[in-house]
Amino acid sequence: MGRRRGFGSRLLAGLALASMSICLVLLHQLSQDGRGAIGGATNEAVERRQRHSHRYLLMAAAGSGSLPAAAIESKRPSAAKETARNEVDDGNQSTSAAVDRRLPRLLIIGVRKGGTRALLEMLNLHRDIAMVPVEVHFFDKFDNYQRGLDWYRSQMPLSSDAQLTVEKSPSYYVTPEVPERVYAMNPHVQLVLIVRDPVTRLLSDFAQIEASRAAQNLPNRRFQDVALLPNGEVNTQNRALHVSLYAKFLSRWLHVFPRRQLHIVDGDRLIRDPWPELQKVERFLGLEHLIRRDQFYFNATKGFFCLTGTPADVGNDNLTAADEHHNHYHHKCLAGSKGRRHPQVPDEVISVLRQFFAPHNRKFFAMVGQDFDWPEQ
């Protein structure tokens, strides 16, 4: 009987290892399909097949009593987390003080040239916000997405359990695959979208594109020659114009996420007076109201608000060294690439664009239940 059981165990282990080998071959083939298939399966279909193959691989590995090295590695506590736990003083501190790299619970999903960087830097004044300083582009770039959530987590800053990790990549909003990919990571993630008057946003986008062209020694262009066709009609083939069609992309997000998980920031108001808009974001996130009006000042030279670096817990004698460092970090203005001067454009060109955007804006207002009062003439 004992010999039969031993033989049966060895047979099951052999079958499991064989299954793992087959899945690895399939995964390699699928990754090749995802890179080069033309006219065949879409990236989304390939990714679905990959996800199922990954699940089967893990199931087979579990059945054999072993896991792939990457899966084993993901189960090990990080060195930072182990260090933080070792520094806890015999239970006198809460275990929530342990720091680790955590997946974001808040994403600023767009829009490009809507004020995403300013919003992120201002939110980072709050002690319960852990900001990712760069745009990771995990969900919108297939090569990054293929690296998996462990890689994405490795790009995050160290944070405590009490902090919200925040990442922003404006192209998330306009990339078709992103909503479902984000949902797969965390169906309860909170989303923030910042929008501006679509014509103003388009002018800002044009200014950035032209600055990039100038750096490549390409000739200057007039805004009206790019935004309008020779017959005076709006150039709907202009890619930058499509980013200002907010309703077009919002429908994808609301098909996946409930409206209550999405907060809309008025980017024009954020520029004129940041504090009220930040209070709304704090309320949406369920954060204590710690960001104050006196933490901002208007820089007349740059033409927008900068951060004073005033401690958020002014009058608090119990600030930790981490709090002091956090507050000191914020004495700053945005980089010179922000707040570029917009091109001078004839009034009739602005009027044509406003009339074009008007019906799209009204649709967006209805979808979000908020009227931004953007001009229609």
Side-chain angles (χ1 to χ4, degrees):
M1 182 66 70
R3 291 181 179 177
R4 290 180 181 176
R5 287 178 180 170
F7 175 76
S9 298
R10 289 194 299 272
L11 179 61
L12 287 174
L15 289 172
L17 290 173
S19 298
M20 289 173 61
S21 300
I22 293 170
C23 286
L24 286 171
V25 172
L26 288 172
L27 283 171
H28 175 74
Q29 183 61 45
L30 286 169
S31 66
Q32 297 302 314
D33 293 344
R35 291 189 182 96
I38 299 176
T42 64
N43 283 345
E44 291 174 304
V46 171
E47 289 166 31
R48 282 197 297 270
R49 284 150 51 195
Q50 287 178 320
R51 285 198 296 271
H52 289 308
S53 298
H54 275 294
R55 292 192 189 105
Y56 185 71
L57 176 59
L58 290 175
M59 290 169 61
S64 69
S66 62
L67 284 172
I72 295 172
E73 200 61 36
S74 68
K75 291 178 177 294
R76 293 174 182 161
S78 67
K81 191 168 185 178
E82 285 292 336
T83 301
R85 283 176 176 169
N86 292 336
E87 290 175 353
V88 175
D89 184 18
D90 296 329
N92 290 330
Q93 297 180 7
S94 169
T95 55
S96 65
V99 295
D100 198 3
R101 300 189 189 279
R102 294 169 168 80
L103 292 172
R105 287 188 286 157
L106 171 63
L107 290 175
I108 299 176
I109 57 176
V111 297
R112 171 182 161 90
K113 306 312 296 179
T116 56
R117 172 55 58 180
L119 176 62
L120 182 64
E121 295 287 351
M122 291 172 179
L123 281 178
N124 200 40
L125 287 167
H126 201 291
R127 68 186 179 197
D128 292 334
I129 291 291
M131 174 187 85
V132 183
V134 297
E135 295 176 5
V136 182
H137 291 284
F138 175 67
F139 296 103
D140 62 317
K141 293 193 174 180
F142 188 66
D143 288 345
N144 286 343
Y145 190 64
Q146 280 188 311
R147 296 179 178 183
L149 288 177
D150 283 345
W151 177 84
Y152 187 39
R153 185 183 289 107
S154 73
Q155 309 303 304
M156 300 298 110
L158 293 172
S159 63
S160 70
D161 287 338
Q163 289 181 302
L164 282 172
T165 299
V166 183
E167 193 243 323
K168 76 102 176 172
S169 292
S171 51
Y172 286 169
Y173 186 61
V174 299
T175 306
E177 302 83 6
V178 170
E180 290 189 358
R181 290 176 178 178
V182 171
Y183 187 89
M185 176 193 72
N186 180 3
H188 306 293
V189 69
Q190 292 174 292
L191 309 168
V192 167
L193 173 70
I194 179 169
V195 295
R196 300 183 67 186
D197 176 332
V199 177
T200 304
R201 195 218 64 80
L202 183 59
L203 287 166
S204 181
D205 208 342
F206 176 82
Q208 177 167 309
I209 292 170
E210 289 305 294
S212 177
R213 285 172 56 87
Q216 302 173 57
N217 294 318
L218 295 174
N220 293 331
R221 302 175 299 177
R222 298 191 309 168
F223 174 80
Q224 51 267 42
D225 294 337
V226 175
L228 303 181
L229 297 171
N231 62 4
E233 295 181 358
V234 173
N235 179 11
T236 57
Q237 300 304 309
N238 180 9
R239 291 180 61 185
L241 178 136
H242 280 263
V243 178
S244 287
L245 299 176
Y246 304 139
K248 170 184 175 181
F249 305 102
L250 182 63
S251 58
R252 295 173 183 161
W253 287 91
L254 294 184
H255 181 72
V256 177
F257 290 96
R259 175 67 179 85
R260 65 178 179 275
Q261 284 178 233
L262 173 68
H263 178 73
I264 314 292
V265 174
D266 188 327
D268 296 310
R269 291 183 178 178
L270 186 77
I271 291 173
R272 294 193 300 267
D273 188 5
W275 187 58
E277 286 299 311
L278 292 167
Q279 281 192 309
K280 295 175 186 176
V281 179
E282 286 178 316
R283 191 176 305 116
F284 168 70
L285 298 175
L287 297 176
E288 184 179 354
H289 290 296
L290 295 181
I291 300 175
R292 301 188 324 279
R293 185 181 290 278
D294 64 1
Q295 290 180 279
F296 309 96
Y297 71 95
F298 185 77
N299 186 312
T301 302
K302 290 182 173 291
F304 51 77
F305 279 85
C306 298
L307 312 179
T308 65
T310 306
D313 290 84
V314 63
N316 185 350
D317 295 329
N318 298 315
L319 288 176
T320 65
D323 290 329
E324 293 290 356
H325 172 76
H326 186 78
N327 288 320
H328 175 72
Y329 173 79
H330 294 291
H331 189 78
K332 64 187 298 185
C333 272
L334 295 180
S337 61
K338 305 299 180 182
R340 291 186 182 91
R341 187 180 298 277
H342 290 180
Q344 294 293 320
V345 180
D347 291 342
E348 55 269 25
V349 174
I350 299 297
S351 180
V352 169
L353 289 169
R354 284 176 173 169
Q355 292 177 54
F356 170 81
F357 283 120
H360 300 280
N361 294 342
R362 289 193 290 269
K363 182 178 179 181
F364 178 71
F365 300 162
M367 294 173 74
V368 300
Q370 184 176 348
D371 191 332
F372 292 87
D373 197 29
W374 294 324
E376 296 191 357
Q377 294 292 332

